[in-house]
Amino acid sequence: MSKKLFVANWKSNKTAEEVKEWLDNFSPYIGLEKEVVIAPPYPFLHLVKEKIANNESLSLAVQDLSAYPAGSYTGEVCTRNLEGLEVKYAILGHSERRRYLGETHLDVANKVSLAVESGMTPIVCVDQEYIEDQALVIESELLPKCIVAYEPLSAIGTGEPLSGQAVLKVVKIIKKYFGEIQVLYGGSVTADNVHIYNEVTDGVLVGGASLDPEQFINLIQTG
Ligand code: PGA
């Protein structure tokens, strides 16, 4: 059985000083059955990599990837730029990117291909209404290599998480289109509600409650 994943998505938060402070305060006891994934902004990947080195329960993720290979794409960060950083996961198609940056299902599908090609596991974020449309444009042989995060817009950053039953219903739809893959839930997950998702998913994607190390440690331990 795969380990439960606890993904910290810091989004566009934190200074280098704040990252150092977070890392200094982050030393949870992590059981073998749990894996903690930290997704910092790009400039802090090195800092986090140093901290998690040689700890099998901690891994590194990026919050996005370029949809293009290495080359003349100013401002983009492609898989080649990340070589040597031991990035294990790539969060792709987060609703904030779809909404503010116009990311399409096809962009996400291209990023999935590039991520897998470079040895990363894509964590594809979806909301209920476009699960099928998103799955249809991803190369079919890559679907089983994805982890999918169910991230309902109504729950992200709103303090209004979904019930376990509602999540379970969508987990089944995701598996219908992606196959028997790992499915995460994301949207207002905290230490108080994480146990609900433990029973119906393979882990959680955490935004706000991952920014403070103590809060996040608490969440991992109760999850
Ligand atoms: P939240 O964000 O935990 O702050 O709701 C979750 C996410 O956007 O992945």
Side-chain angles (χ1 to χ4, degrees):
M1 226 190 74
S2 312
K3 290 181 176 189
K4 290 264 180 208
L5 292 186
F6 293 79
V7 185
N9 176 12
W10 288 351
K11 307 189 179 183
S12 204
N13 291 296
K14 298 198 182 293
T15 62
E17 271 319 302
E18 287 164 355
V19 170
K20 284 182 200 150
E21 206 179 307
W22 193 100
L23 293 170
D24 285 344
N25 287 300
F26 185 73
S27 51
Y29 163 75
I30 301 165
L32 284 176
E33 75 285 2
K34 294 176 184 177
E35 178 175 350
V36 176
V37 182
I38 303 173
Y42 289 125
F44 310 133
L45 283 168
H46 264 291
L47 280 174
V48 180
K49 177 186 177 254
E50 278 164 30
K51 167 77 180 184
I52 68 177
N54 304 321
N55 188 328
E56 281 188 10
S57 298
L58 296 175
S59 5
L60 197 54
V62 283
Q63 300 174 15
D64 180 39
L65 273 181
S66 173
Y68 303 95
S72 301
Y73 302 100
T74 301
E76 289 295 285
V77 175
C78 71
T79 54
R80 189 155 194 272
N81 306 138
L82 298 166
E83 270 178 28
L85 283 168
E86 291 162 37
V87 177
K88 187 168 173 188
Y89 300 98
I91 298 173
L92 300 176
H94 191 284
S95 61
E96 287 153 9
R97 299 199 56 81
R98 295 179 192 260
R99 187 170 166 194
Y100 300 123
L101 299 149
E103 201 162 288
T104 65
H105 301 325
L106 200 55
D107 293 330
V108 176
N110 289 335
K111 294 176 183 197
V112 166
S113 302
L114 291 164
V116 174
E117 203 176 286
S118 74
M120 289 178 208
T121 299
I123 299 179
V124 180
C125 301
V126 294
D127 199 348
Q128 183 168 357
E129 56 276 18
Y130 53 82
I131 295 168
E132 181 180 3
D133 289 347
Q134 181 61 80
L136 281 174
V137 290
I138 292 174
E139 286 179 68
S140 55
E141 68 272 22
L142 301 185
L143 292 172
K145 304 198 168 176
C146 294
I147 292 174
V148 173
Y150 170 40
E151 295 232 312
L153 255 190
S154 65
I156 296 177
T158 59
E160 291 176 24
L162 254 58
S163 71
Q165 275 309 314
V167 172
L168 184 59
K169 215 176 91 198
V170 178
V171 168
K172 288 183 182 155
I173 302 172
I174 289 171
K175 290 193 174 176
K176 179 171 157 206
Y177 293 106
F178 281 78
E180 274 306 309
I181 50 149
Q182 282 178 282
V183 180
L184 314 180
Y185 167 74
S188 297
V189 179
T190 62
D192 293 334
N193 61 32
V194 65
H195 64 278
I196 300 173
Y197 309 111
N198 216 352
E199 285 161 30
V200 292
T201 68
D202 303 293
V204 285
L205 208 159
V206 186
S210 73
L211 294 175
D212 173 71
E214 271 144 48
Q215 225 181 317
F216 191 52
I217 290 169
N218 201 1
L219 189 156
I220 296 162
Q221 283 167 349
T222 46

